[in-house]
Amino acid sequence: MLDIDAIRKRALAASTNATEALQESQEKNARLLEHAAQDTPETATACDAPDAMAAPSIPQETGQDAASTQSQVEILGQVLDADSLAQMMANTEQMQKMVQDAVAQATASGLEDMMGHLFGEDMGVLAAAMETLAMEDGEEDEEDQEPESEQMLYNLLEETMARLEALPEPAPVPYPKEGPPWEQFGILLSGIVSCLNGHSLDRMDVEEHVPVLEQQVVSIVRRSWGIDGRKDLLDMIRYLAQEGYILRYQLYAGAASPEELMDEDMDEADRESTCRAWRFVQQYKAQYHPGFLAGWDVGRAAMLARWGCYLGWITESEAIGILWELSGKAAEHLHSWREFAQSYLFGGLMWKLLRGDSSAASYLGYIADAATDLLTGQPGSDGGQWRNCPWPAQRKIGFTL
């Protein structure tokens, strides 16, 4: 857990050390200037004068310092006329102002770098913690918003799914029984969540192994999933692979009324959520069978497997085995990346309705944007990973004559 008190102590110590170093540097510069003025006042020239006059000021001038300064001024007066000396001093004042403005600008723009030097790795951890707090605050704000009407969300879902259906996609291709194509396909099943989180899709690890990034992934898994280790992770993956929203959709589709899905311990909010999800399933049960939810279940399970491997909760070979099983399920129920993305949209909206989340419309937009980037890519970007890895063609079963 993040120790804020320890970080504050480190920051205070770093700030104190920086202040002492700055004071020491100023005193050293002042001594050097004083020594130079005492040793060579008669050698000052018009070229040396601006440097001496622009030197950092000393809080209180001693008698010897005043005499040295007066000597330099008299020498300058002998070398330069009154107008030239006045112009020189004006130029010096302008230079001082320029230096002050530059320092102010550097201070403002370099605050993040300065904080990084003060806190070190803790700065990244603190940033991750602050991001978590900001997200939690945003969730509280969303609860206060007026939820969109269910019919409006249905219309938006259908429009978005039609837009995805129109995207170009390579035809499915036969895959070997095992090997690298399946491993890459399994990783790409986590594509939507990976895109939303800025994760890599060219290897098993979602990010480089940096403490700050590892802390962010741990925060996501714990906060969003309630997973705190290997057992929780494997239990959740097993649930998504064997039951998940496929089973939930099937139960809601078979219920004659939402009351059949309720129990006595449900509070009013849970009852309302059940009613919303039941109405959603009744709206679409004739159009989409339970297996259509495979993309929603498999996509999230694949992401959990990669997160667990990245955090060291499962080995890479275990993650590869999990992704292999998930790949078979996805290829069995779905027929293209477009259908996979539509499944993710469909399951995502059902999830949002169960939560009573007012951000459902924007969430559908995020999913659609991620899927579009995975299918089409953008010039100069890293998108198009789905396009570059066609969906596996289903194997023919039976005899051919």
Side-chain angles (χ1 to χ4, degrees):
M1 182 174 293
L2 185 64
D3 191 344
I4 297 296
D5 290 336
I7 294 176
R8 287 174 177 167
K9 291 178 181 179
R10 288 179 58 182
L12 180 59
S15 178
T16 302
N17 292 337
T19 302
E20 292 175 353
L22 178 60
Q23 291 176 347
E24 182 179 351
S25 177
Q26 288 177 335
E27 292 173 358
K28 181 178 180 181
N29 289 338
R31 288 195 299 270
L32 290 174
L33 287 170
E34 179 182 351
H35 179 72
Q38 290 174 353
D39 288 348
T40 58
E42 69 280 0
T43 60
T45 65
C47 293
D48 298 328
D51 292 335
M53 295 176 67
S57 61
I58 303 174
Q60 186 173 359
E61 196 175 51
T62 64
Q64 190 174 12
D65 295 334
S68 177
T69 302
Q70 180 63 28
S71 174
Q72 294 181 54
V73 172
E74 290 176 357
I75 292 173
L76 288 172
Q78 294 171 6
V79 175
L80 304 173
D81 57 26
D83 292 339
S84 298
L85 185 59
Q87 182 63 41
M88 181 185 297
M89 296 186 68
N91 291 341
T92 301
E93 291 177 358
Q94 184 177 4
M95 290 177 61
Q96 287 176 327
K97 185 177 184 303
M98 291 173 62
V99 171
Q100 292 172 354
D101 292 343
V103 171
Q105 183 178 2
T107 301
S109 63
L111 179 59
E112 183 176 352
D113 292 337
M114 180 184 70
M115 292 295 288
H117 287 301
L118 289 177
F119 287 100
E121 287 183 353
D122 286 337
M123 185 59 208
V125 178
L126 184 60
M130 295 305 293
E131 180 182 356
T132 300
L133 292 175
M135 293 180 65
E136 291 174 352
D137 291 341
E139 290 175 356
E140 292 177 0
D141 293 339
E142 288 173 358
E143 292 177 357
D144 296 333
Q145 297 174 5
E146 188 68 22
E148 302 95 343
S149 69
E150 291 176 23
Q151 188 58 52
M152 187 275 284
L153 291 174
Y154 298 167
N155 295 339
L156 179 60
L157 173 68
E158 293 163 10
E159 293 171 3
T160 308
M161 292 178 75
R163 179 156 57 91
L164 291 177
E165 184 64 31
L167 293 176
E169 178 181 355
V173 299
Y175 275 36
K177 291 185 178 181
E178 57 185 17
W182 282 108
E183 293 180 13
Q184 181 62 20
F185 179 74
I187 290 173
L188 290 178
L189 290 173
S190 71
I192 290 177
V193 190
S194 294
C195 257
L196 294 178
N197 288 278
H199 292 329
S200 169
L201 279 169
D202 58 2
R203 60 186 185 277
M204 183 66 73
D205 276 342
V206 297
E207 300 284 356
E208 297 295 333
H209 281 278
V210 179
V212 171
L213 298 178
E214 292 175 354
Q215 177 65 28
Q216 288 178 336
V217 172
V218 168
S219 177
I220 292 172
V221 175
R222 287 177 176 168
R223 185 182 69 251
S224 300
W225 289 88
I227 294 174
D228 195 20
R230 176 183 172 86
K231 182 180 183 303
D232 292 343
L233 179 79
L234 293 176
D235 286 346
M236 182 59 69
I237 292 175
R238 188 177 299 109
Y239 162 74
L240 292 174
Q242 298 177 1
E243 300 178 6
Y245 269 61
I246 290 181
L247 178 59
R248 178 171 289 189
Y249 185 89
Q250 185 176 356
L251 293 174
Y252 277 63
S257 68
E259 285 72 23
E260 293 184 14
L261 303 167
M262 300 177 185
D263 56 49
E264 297 179 354
D265 297 332
M266 280 188 174
D267 58 21
E268 187 61 28
D270 289 337
R271 289 176 177 273
E272 292 178 0
S273 296
T274 302
C275 289
R276 283 193 300 270
W278 180 82
R279 289 192 294 268
F280 173 78
V281 175
Q282 296 302 312
Q283 174 78 13
Y284 291 107
K285 69 178 184 179
Q287 186 176 357
Y288 299 108
H289 57 84
F292 182 66
L293 275 294
W296 171 245
D297 287 336
V298 166
R300 294 179 299 151
M303 191 73 260
L304 287 174
R306 293 186 66 207
W307 277 336
C309 180
Y310 175 73
L311 296 174
W313 294 349
I314 59 175
T315 65
E316 184 170 357
S317 61
E318 287 176 320
I320 291 174
I322 291 171
L323 292 180
W324 166 262
E325 296 294 333
L326 295 174
S327 297
K329 183 171 184 177
E332 175 187 355
H333 290 286
L334 304 171
H335 306 86
S336 67
W337 284 118
R338 288 178 304 206
E339 191 176 17
F340 178 87
Q342 291 170 332
S343 170
Y344 207 97
L345 277 171
F346 192 78
L349 180 54
M350 184 176 176
W351 171 62
K352 286 290 187 180
L353 291 171
L354 277 168
R355 293 185 60 194
D357 196 325
S358 62
S359 67
S362 59
Y363 182 70
L364 293 181
Y366 296 145
I367 294 175
D369 289 344
T372 300
D373 185 61
L374 287 163
L375 276 171
T376 63
Q378 299 294 333
S381 71
D382 296 329
Q385 291 92 339
W386 284 355
R387 176 193 59 207
N388 298 329
C389 181
W391 192 266
Q394 291 187 339
R395 295 180 177 274
K396 296 181 179 180
I397 301 177
F399 298 97
T400 57
L401 300 176

